[in-house]
Amino acid sequence: MTSVKLEKYERTVSVSPKYQRRNQENLQATYTDVVVIGNGPSGICLSYLLSGHWPYYTGETHPNEYLNKRLQVEQDKSLVLQDLKFLSDNLEGRSSHPVSLLFDTLSNPDADIGINSPSLLHWRHDPKQEISHVVLGKKEEGGIWQMMEGQMKTLSLSSWMQLPDMSFDKWLQRNRSVDDPDKFSNRARMEEVRKYYMDYVREKGLTKYFSNHSTVTSVQRIQECSQDIDDESGEESVSICGAGISNRQMLWLVCGHRTVSDDKGQAYDEDFCYKTPNLVLCTGAFDQPNMLNMPGEDLPYVCHSLAEMEQCIHEDILTSTSNPVVVIGGGLSAADAIVHLLDLDIPVIHIFRRNVEDPQIVYRQLPSKLYPEYHMIYRLMQGIDTDDRYKNYSSMDVVEFTEDNQMLLKSRKLGQEMVLQVSCVVVLIGSRPDLSFLPRHILSKLGIVPGMGIHSQHNPIDVDPYTYQSNHFTGLYAIGPLVGDNFVRFLRGGALGIVSHLWQKKENTINL
């Protein structure tokens, strides 16, 4: 394999005075080959590959005979260096990205028919394959999972939540006590997923790449002259070039602030700035919950996340003897909430806008054998099954929330109004990413539908299906929910696609 030398040395250059620290000298921009915004599962997985860990096919037979034949062609070469378009040809599944399907079917063969088969990938580490990078995240490693501290379980199998080369099931066996009631469960509690992702970063030696408690406030595209490093002295040899000179390159300038601690343990904020030719968006799509925008929605008993609901349970605000909890929404998060509430014997009123037989209801699109809990909720919605603790109202709109814990509803069909006395309302009608750090002219062209806000389902970021590079901005990549891959099992392929493309670009540059 040809060794490709990447720019791994961090360098500092002066930045425009507009990025100065307050009452301090000019802030310096640190160069790195890749900046990753978001330290959830997408960012963690990408960091593992960027750190020089590459996947290889084990040689064991894959149940898909056509894929099995393609895998034999370059069996000894890492997937990073293979033709991913050729390998993923004609694969089908619940992701629109062929490389995501490829990685998933190699990691979890026959997962969609309920078979938990061994992975057909093994991993090798070579320091020469490392690509310098930094991962920026607002909280500790895990992203949105840092907000999940309760006993609620994932409805995906625990093996589907795992990251490369570290079995989640084995991690659970090590970390669950002998008398844990979930000792042999194949689903994990939310807090276990959070701890697994944090342990993953430490056990895989990725901590040095992570800058946690970091908030990105601005991203800009800049042009800069290329700068060479003298092989003997290590000093930069700066070339002065004007407009139109060929050795000017487009870079991304990423700035923000982070919270750090001094030697005495005192926390303080400091500014940061990075410049990079490759920017990866891994922020997820759950920063900002969607609102009903109805009067009284800001009252204390109205929640907009599972974490807020879990806190109410923890504080004994919600119990089996309290007034019903109203769950508003017809998606997966709403089902998660309902399952958890019923497990705790807490009465639920379920409100959703769609007709129960609407083909777009997400529960109808999932295999019942793999997601029995979702289908249990759907059967309750249809009235096929009944539960004294569950009641629903379909095709209803919320009109108002009042200070005395009442909510006013109006039927879409008949126009009739009704009042419910509740203990808590959980509004789970989707969410959207916070990409406010991007310039408007970039944000407006980022999605499949230009000018429309980014939405994981309705308007994901428009990327190449094999490289995950934006179809509109060179050097800008995105993976995970931002491109429509909401399940952890599928976002891993995005990391493979990006790293493969980065190495293709470096090899092409050297061969010029």
Side-chain angles (χ1 to χ4, degrees), residues 62-64 104-105 108-117 160 370 489:
H62 191 280
N64 182 323
D104 179 63
T105 193
N108 308 93
D110 284 333
D112 284 334
I113 59 175
I115 299 176
N116 189 17
S117 301
W160 294 0
L370 299 181
R489 57 184 286 206

Side-chain angles (χ1 to χ4, degrees), residues 4-6 31 33-34 80-81 131 221 249-252 276-280 467-470 473-477 497-512:
V4 182
K5 184 178 181 181
L6 299 171
Y31 177 91
D33 285 308
V34 183
V80 172
L81 301 177
I131 299 177
R221 295 190 87 187
Q249 60 176 329
M250 295 301 299
L251 297 176
W252 298 95
T276 181
N278 303 295
L279 175 62
V280 187
T467 68
Y468 293 81
Q469 181 174 230
S470 166
F473 301 99
T474 302
L476 180 61
Y477 301 81
I498 289 174
V499 174
S500 176
H501 189 239
L502 292 176
W503 274 78
Q504 287 178 29
K505 290 199 299 184
K506 287 295 180 181
E507 289 181 332
N508 290 339
T509 299
I510 287 179
N511 292 332
L512 288 179

Side-chain angles (χ1 to χ4, degrees), residues 8-210:
K8 295 174 56 177
Y9 302 98
E10 291 193 338
R11 308 180 302 206
T12 58
V13 295
S14 295
V15 184
S16 167
K18 69 183 290 187
Y19 297 104
Q20 291 179 0
R21 297 173 187 263
R22 293 179 181 177
N23 302 320
Q24 296 183 19
E25 297 179 357
N26 287 0
L27 176 62
Q28 301 291 305
T30 301
Y31 177 91
T32 187
D33 285 308
V34 183
V35 170
V36 182
I37 302 180
N39 64 354
S42 299
I44 296 172
C45 184
L46 179 58
S47 180
Y48 187 61
L49 273 77
L50 289 172
S51 66
H53 296 85
W54 283 9
Y56 292 78
Y57 171 51
T58 63
E60 299 295 325
T61 302
H62 191 280
N64 182 323
E65 61 177 308
Y66 300 106
L67 174 58
N68 191 65
K69 290 181 180 179
R70 293 196 290 269
L71 289 167
Q72 310 298 323
V73 176
E74 295 183 291
Q75 182 174 328
D76 296 328
K77 183 183 288 188
S78 171
L79 296 182
V80 172
L81 301 177
Q82 294 195 42
D83 184 346
L84 298 180
K85 185 175 183 179
F86 167 70
L87 289 177
S88 60
D89 185 44
N90 287 326
L91 293 180
E92 297 179 351
R94 292 199 301 278
S95 171
S96 60
H97 298 96
V99 181
S100 294
L101 295 173
L102 172 66
F103 195 101
D104 179 63
T105 193
L106 291 175
S107 299
N108 308 93
D110 284 333
D112 284 334
I113 59 175
I115 299 176
N116 189 17
S117 301
S119 172
L120 298 183
L121 295 177
H122 67 94
W123 295 80
R124 301 177 192 169
H125 179 245
D126 185 345
K128 295 179 181 179
Q129 296 164 175
E130 178 188 359
I131 299 177
S132 69
H133 65 282
V134 62
V135 183
L136 306 171
K138 295 179 180 179
K139 299 181 182 295
E140 295 292 320
E141 305 93 343
I144 188 64
W145 292 96
Q146 280 299 325
M147 299 176 63
M148 306 296 186
E149 298 183 1
Q151 299 298 304
M152 190 163 28
K153 295 180 182 178
T154 64
L155 292 188
S156 289
L157 299 174
S158 55
S159 60
W160 294 0
M161 305 298 295
Q162 72 187 27
L163 299 180
D165 199 27
M166 182 167 153
S167 169
F168 196 1
D169 288 336
K170 291 181 179 178
W171 183 92
L172 288 172
Q173 291 174 12
R174 295 196 310 267
N175 287 274
R176 283 177 173 171
S177 62
V178 177
D179 57 351
D180 191 319
D182 295 319
K183 179 68 177 177
F184 300 104
S185 173
N186 60 3
R187 284 175 166 79
R189 295 187 288 266
M190 298 289 190
E191 63 179 6
E192 291 174 324
V193 179
R194 176 178 63 88
K195 292 176 181 177
Y196 166 79
Y197 291 146
M198 295 179 71
D199 281 358
Y200 184 93
V201 171
R202 285 190 286 270
E203 292 187 23
K204 294 300 182 181
L206 304 178
T207 304
K208 62 183 178 181
Y209 303 108
F210 280 71

Side-chain angles (χ1 to χ4, degrees), residues 273-293:
C273 220
Y274 294 94
K275 67 169 189 172
T276 181
N278 303 295
L279 175 62
V280 187
L281 302 177
C282 298
T283 62
F286 309 104
D287 293 308
Q288 301 171 323
N290 292 333
M291 309 288 285
L292 293 167
N293 296 317

Side-chain angles (χ1 to χ4, degrees), residues 283-288 290 431-436 453-456 461 481-482:
T283 62
F286 309 104
D287 293 308
Q288 301 171 323
N290 292 333
S431 58
R432 58 194 185 280
D434 180 7
L435 299 175
S436 58
I454 298 301
H455 188 283
S456 62
I461 292 178
L482 289 176

Side-chain angles (χ1 to χ4, degrees), residues 339-351:
V339 169
H340 189 50
L341 291 168
L342 293 180
D343 282 346
L344 298 174
D345 205 28
I346 298 174
V348 175
I349 295 177
H350 186 194
I351 296 173

Side-chain angles (χ1 to χ4, degrees), residues 217-317:
T217 56
S218 70
V219 169
Q220 293 189 38
R221 295 190 87 187
I222 59 173
Q223 277 192 329
E224 185 179 77
C225 300
S226 61
Q227 296 172 315
D228 299 321
I229 294 180
D230 187 282
D231 290 335
E232 295 183 4
S233 67
E235 296 293 327
E236 291 181 354
S237 104
V238 181
S239 61
I240 300 176
C241 54
I245 303 301
S246 60
N247 63 341
R248 293 179 68 88
Q249 60 176 329
M250 295 301 299
L251 297 176
W252 298 95
L253 189 65
V254 182
C255 297
H257 57 84
R258 58 181 157 232
T259 302
V260 295
S261 298
D262 59 22
D263 295 338
K264 298 180 180 179
Q266 295 295 318
Y268 64 95
D269 284 347
E270 68 174 16
D271 296 330
F272 65 78
C273 220
Y274 294 94
K275 67 169 189 172
T276 181
N278 303 295
L279 175 62
V280 187
L281 302 177
C282 298
T283 62
F286 309 104
D287 293 308
Q288 301 171 323
N290 292 333
M291 309 288 285
L292 293 167
N293 296 317
M294 289 293 124
E297 193 172 356
D298 58 347
L299 289 168
Y301 69 90
V302 182
C303 305
H304 292 84
S305 70
L306 293 172
E308 290 180 86
M309 184 191 79
E310 189 72 34
Q311 185 63 29
C312 291
I313 294 172
H314 179 71
E315 295 175 357
D316 289 330
I317 296 174

